[in-house]
């Protein structure tokens, strides 16, 4: 089913929000919060429509909107530890919002946010240890976040490597298709050229045969005329001979009295 105007507007705004969430924003930035609020309203209206999308698609939209809401709420927290823990419970979208995306933008934002929070945690931890203040619970939490950061970085590298491999494979397939298309074009061009040569030869042969047939027809017509003339003269000669013979017969054999 084709997407409605409301759904298209929702997708455009959602893509814009994902792009804003991926950027480093100032604390006074207010657009993302307003956009997310507008997304909630549009999503509610979309669920109330008669021709609403499939339930799976609606769930995916709700999942992405909830992720953006949770991301904004996590950014409002004062402690880096609380931000990192809050980001751990966020659930990004499973499918790309637009066809231009290779991977879901919310997943990339999630990985970036986790890495950013972990970096802040590490900076705070190093600063605390440098001043001689130790906190075992904070240290263990930071260690777990550091391992999560490494895992997230590994996942991100794996995703990027997978997409790079896919792009290289796609480029090779496109190059192979281009070569195959070129070979097929050359083969078709040679076949067409041979067919044109054969057709030209056939036309020349047809013209030659037509000329020969015309000459033979003229000769046959002349021969037929000559045959008719000889037959006419022969019949005249026979008639004259019979006439003369009858006259001689009558002269030689007179009528009896």
């Amino acid at each position: 089913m084709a997407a409605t105007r409301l759904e298209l507007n929702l997708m455009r705004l959602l893509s814009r929000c994902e792009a804003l969430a991926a950027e480093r924003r100032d604390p006074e930035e207010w657009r993302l919060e307003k956009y997310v609020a507008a997304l909630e309203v549009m999503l509610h209206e979309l669920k109330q429509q008669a021709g609403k999308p499939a339930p799976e698609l609606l769930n995916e939209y709700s999942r992405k909107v909830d992720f953006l809401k949770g991301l904004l709420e996590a950014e409002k927290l004062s402690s880096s530890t609380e931000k990192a823990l809050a980001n751990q419970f966020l659930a990004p979208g499973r499918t790309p919002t637009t066809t231009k995306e290779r991977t879901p933008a919310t997943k990339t934002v999630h990985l970036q946010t986790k890495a950013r929070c972990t970096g802040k945690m590490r900076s705070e931890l190093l600063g605390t240890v440098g001043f001689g203040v130790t906190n075992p619970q904070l240290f263990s939490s930071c260690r777990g976040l550091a391992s999560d950061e490494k895992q997230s970085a590994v996942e991100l590298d794996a995703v990027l490597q997978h997409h790079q491999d896919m792009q290289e494979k796609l480029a090779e397939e496109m190059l192979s298709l281009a070569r195959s298309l070129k070979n097929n074009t050359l083969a078709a061009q040679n076949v067409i050229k041979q067919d044109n040569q054969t057709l030209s030869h056939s036309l020349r042969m047809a013209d030659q045969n037509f000329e020969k047939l015309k000459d033979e027809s003229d000769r046959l017509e002349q021969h037929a005329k000559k045959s008719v003339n000889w037959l006419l003269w022969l019949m005249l000669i026979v008639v004259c001979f019979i006439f003369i013979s009858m006259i001689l017969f009558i002269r030689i054999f007179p009528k009896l009295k």
Side-chain angles (χ1 to χ4, degrees), residues 112-179:
Q112 292 176 350
T113 307
K114 287 172 64 177
R116 195 178 301 127
C117 292
T118 306
K120 291 182 179 179
M121 286 284 296
R122 183 183 300 172
S123 300
E124 292 179 1
L125 176 62
L126 293 176
T128 305
V129 172
F131 284 106
V133 181
T134 57
N135 189 337
Q137 183 178 3
L138 179 62
F139 184 74
S140 61
S141 177
C142 290
R143 184 184 301 172
L145 291 174
S147 62
D148 292 338
E149 178 193 3
K150 293 180 180 179
Q151 184 178 0
S152 300
V154 171
E155 291 178 356
L156 183 59
D157 292 339
V159 170
L160 294 176
Q161 184 65 33
H162 175 67
H163 290 311
Q164 184 177 359
D165 295 339
M166 288 181 62
Q167 290 178 357
E168 292 177 356
K169 184 177 179 181
L170 182 61
E172 292 178 357
E173 291 179 354
M174 291 178 65
L175 183 59
S176 177
L177 289 175
R179 290 175 180 172

Side-chain angles (χ1 to χ4, degrees), residues 77-126:
L77 299 175
S78 57
S79 173
S80 299
T81 306
E82 294 177 351
K83 290 181 180 180
L85 292 176
N87 277 296
Q88 293 290 333
F89 296 100
L90 294 179
R94 298 188 179 92
T95 58
T97 305
T98 61
T99 56
K100 297 180 180 179
E101 297 178 4
R102 295 287 185 178
T103 56
T106 50
K107 186 174 182 180
T108 304
V109 172
H110 190 210
L111 294 175
Q112 292 176 350
T113 307
K114 287 172 64 177
R116 195 178 301 127
C117 292
T118 306
K120 291 182 179 179
M121 286 284 296
R122 183 183 300 172
S123 300
E124 292 179 1
L125 176 62
L126 293 176

Side-chain angles (χ1 to χ4, degrees), residues 5-14 35-49 58 61 65:
R5 185 178 183 85
L6 179 60
E7 184 179 358
L8 292 176
N9 293 333
L10 175 67
M11 292 172 62
R12 294 192 186 99
L13 185 58
L14 182 59
Y35 289 168
V36 172
L39 279 176
E40 291 182 311
V41 176
M42 295 172 67
L43 182 61
H44 179 72
E45 293 178 358
L46 185 63
K47 291 180 179 179
Q48 301 298 324
Q49 276 189 347
L58 285 175
Y61 291 153
V65 173

Side-chain angles (χ1 to χ4, degrees), residues 1 43 47 52-63:
M1 184 176 65
L43 182 61
K47 291 180 179 179
K52 59 184 179 182
E56 295 81 5
L57 195 56
L58 285 175
N59 292 334
E60 184 66 18
Y61 291 153
S62 301
R63 185 184 182 92

Side-chain angles (χ1 to χ4, degrees), residues 186-206:
L186 292 176
Q189 184 178 359
N190 292 331
V191 171
I192 293 173
K193 186 176 180 180
Q194 293 177 0
D195 291 342
N196 289 333
Q197 292 177 354
T198 303
L199 182 60
S200 300
H201 180 70
S202 300
L203 290 175
R204 286 195 300 269
M205 293 296 295

